[in-house]
Amino acid sequence: SEASAHILQHLKPPQQQIFLWLVQLLGRVAHRTVKNQMSARNLALVWSPLLFDIDLSNPMTYISNTNKWSQILEVFITNAIPT
């Protein structure tokens, strides 16, 4: 997606590699959702505030931004799930 490409373009190569490694790891975790209850969506909700600079000063903005970023991260994770 356009947002995914935008994120990767703004990361330096070492950051890109770490981000993509983490997404692959999260994809493997999500692949075992039946056993661990951690779907791509759940993982994205947990990890997006840690990975993206989300404004904490306004609770409504925080919720809105977390939703947006978690949806983007969920796409990355879903695309990384092994088949």
Side-chain angles (χ1 to χ4, degrees), residues 15 21-22 25-26 35 41 44 50 57 59 62 70 72 74 82:
Q15 294 169 325
W21 171 83
L22 179 61
L25 177 64
L26 295 175
K35 291 183 180 181
R41 177 168 173 69
L50 301 170
S57 63
Y62 174 79
S70 66
I72 293 168
E74 183 180 0

Side-chain angles (χ1 to χ4, degrees), residues 2-21:
E2 189 175 314
S4 302
H6 180 75
I7 289 169
L8 290 176
Q9 286 175 355
H10 284 78
L11 295 175
K12 295 177 183 173
Q15 294 169 325
Q16 284 180 2
Q17 291 172 348
I18 292 169
F19 179 77
L20 293 173
W21 171 83

Side-chain angles (χ1 to χ4, degrees), residues 17-56:
Q17 291 172 348
I18 292 169
F19 179 77
L20 293 173
W21 171 83
L22 179 61
V23 167
Q24 290 292 325
L25 177 64
L26 295 175
R28 288 195 298 271
V29 172
H31 182 64
R32 293 169 177 76
T33 299
V34 173
K35 291 183 180 181
N36 63 28
Q37 302 300 307
M38 292 304 291
S39 64
R41 177 168 173 69
N42 290 343
L43 290 164
L45 284 170
V46 170
W47 281 90
S48 61
L50 301 170
L51 294 174
F52 305 112
D53 187 21
I54 299 173
D55 180 17
L56 299 173

